[in-house]
Amino acid sequence: MLSSVDEAIRKAAVLNAIKHDGKADAGAVLGNLLGENPSLKPRARELMPTVQRVVKEVNSTSLTQLTQEASEKWPADLIKEKPEEVRKLSPLPNVEKYQTIVTRVAPNPDFVLHLGNARAAILSHDYAKMYNGKFIVRFEDTDPRLKKAQLQYYDIIREDLKWLGCSWDAEYIQSDRLPIYYKIAETLLSNDAAYICECKPEQWKPLVTAKKPCPDRELGVSIQTQRWQKMVNGGYGEGEAVFRVKTDLSHPNPAVRDWPGFRVVDVIKTPHPRVGSRFRVWPLYNMASGVDDHDLGITHVLRGKEHLTNMARQLFLYRHLGWTYPDAVHFGRLKVEGMNLSKSRMMKALEAGEYMGVDDPRLGTLAALRRRGFQPEAIRQLMWEIGPKPVDVTISWDNINAINRKLIDPTSHRYYFVPDPIRADVSGVEADMEVHQPLHPQFPEMGTRTLNLKARNGRSKLLLSGSDRTTLASGETVRLMGLFNIQSVSLNGGELNAKRVGESASGVDLPILQWVPAEDKTSVSIVLPDASNANGFAEIGLRREAVDSVVQFVRFGFCRVDEVSYDKVTLYFAHN
Ligand SMILES: [Zn+2]
């Protein structure tokens, strides 16, 4: 009687934990227990301490293990996930001002996209869609020196955006648009709204700090126009002249005062990957970006708050040209716990050979997440959850993993994988056994997989996980999933001698272990998030999985199939 109450509590706790991402709630568990077993109602108060103890136990067990336990013991009760409620993005400001909402994402093709970039891309795309507007992709590649574009990244970024589901209505590449920026430069110069500054940095700095004009500022329109021609025609070397936009020299932020709009680049030394050395004068970020936002009819700019100073600079440009600045939404920084999303740091480490490539599992790039089996929908849900908030947000991997788990769990086939295997020789197996296990315990309609266990002279060989060494060494009885129970006779290094001791799965506290038939298996190598490998064996059926499919290795975690070669399956670990 007592053990059946214990089992009912365990069941209620495990099912509640599965429903709530691994965290059961004692009150809810007691409620469910009494709902299922009304005869226990008079004992509610007395049962609570036991419920609390079991809930604590259950909450410290991995979700994968709990799901496995439930699928072995109470398959009919496993509750299918409820569909997510539809989330909404907060409305954009001033939409009524515009006939069509136009947003843009403006990547620099000097690297691939990472999680931080995904926020601007997804929000800009989804807002455009929400308002039946237009979404533009603009490659910002006007820095041939320090943030030099690389040809392969244009395509990888396009792939990244497509993967994210951010299809675009138009695409522009700034290095195609230099004549447009030159025209603006000429307009600004002839309106006396800009000048060509020949000051060396050491002359310029003290002047601008003191809010004083440099000698070039008031030379008059005709000299400025001549200097511009000299700049364009190669009369100045790199660093010898800068095109400056006139601002308020007493602006509180010195970085805004007479900011540089164009500069000379030695394109013989550092040619542009697309247009070579055709242009010597290149617009700086605020010039190119500011002109394009107006020229392409962008109505709403969504970007990080680190751009607030850029906006202050660009407002002077817009005033000079009589343009209206788009509505700008600046969001706070996005940090991911334990991960560096700084592009420059990632690039440096990559160049130093610290990573295997842009999709190294240690990186927060979309390429890396994709390779590990993260779904674009998970990233979208995450970005919607964060939204365009102005406060800084730190997200944990637990958070990202939980969202992804909900998406991949219902479609991931289950398999057994034994890392660092122990070879078990089990007595009491008189005949070959054909074991059928569901590909997914909650969806029997997905079908089954078959594990063929051979018997010879009353014994059978199978492989167990090296991580179960301690359990096996203790000599206690363990259950092999869907098979039978065994007990260790001896364990020497990687060799276990065991005997079959029972068939029933109903023992409450038996550890439940995954296994692989020793003669019917495939080699497996799993690339872990720290780029190390977990090697071992899995059931042979794994070889039928297509590349890119995500599977769940029971008691191990979700992995994406990366390659199926003649003698091995390579996977990337997503999360447990
Ligand atoms: Zn000057």
Side-chain angles (χ1 to χ4, degrees), residues 554-575:
V554 177
R555 297 181 70 227
F556 188 82
F558 291 94
C559 297
R560 178 190 146 274
V561 178
D562 195 65
E563 193 191 359
V564 182
S565 72
Y566 72 99
D567 65 343
K568 190 165 106 180
V569 182
T570 305
L571 303 100
Y572 272 62
F573 185 81
H575 46 74

Side-chain angles (χ1 to χ4, degrees), residues 110 117 190 195 250 339 377 397 400 437 566:
D110 62 344
N117 306 134
S190 57
Y195 59 100
S250 58
M339 179 152 278
E377 185 53 32
W397 278 103
I400 305 174
Q437 289 285 283
Y566 72 99

Side-chain angles (χ1 to χ4, degrees), residues 353-411:
E354 282 174 38
Y355 295 115
M356 299 188 279
V358 292
D359 56 1
D360 187 289
R362 289 165 288 183
L363 293 171
T365 59
L366 298 185
L369 292 167
R370 185 159 63 222
R371 196 154 194 198
R372 288 178 55 192
F374 284 86
Q375 305 299 299
E377 185 53 32
I379 297 170
R380 169 162 277 103
Q381 281 182 23
L382 182 73
M383 296 311 166
W384 275 51
E385 215 167 89
I386 303 165
K389 279 181 224 170
V391 292
D392 293 353
V393 179
T394 301
I395 45 175
S396 69
W397 278 103
D398 285 350
N399 191 345
I400 305 174
N401 294 347
I403 296 173
N404 197 58
R405 188 180 300 118
K406 280 186 187 154
L407 293 165
I408 59 178
D409 179 76
T411 55

Side-chain angles (χ1 to χ4, degrees), residues 195 197-199 204 214-217 244:
Y195 59 100
C197 171
E198 296 180 351
C199 298
W204 169 258
C214 83
D216 307 302
R217 199 180 202 256
R244 294 193 181 279

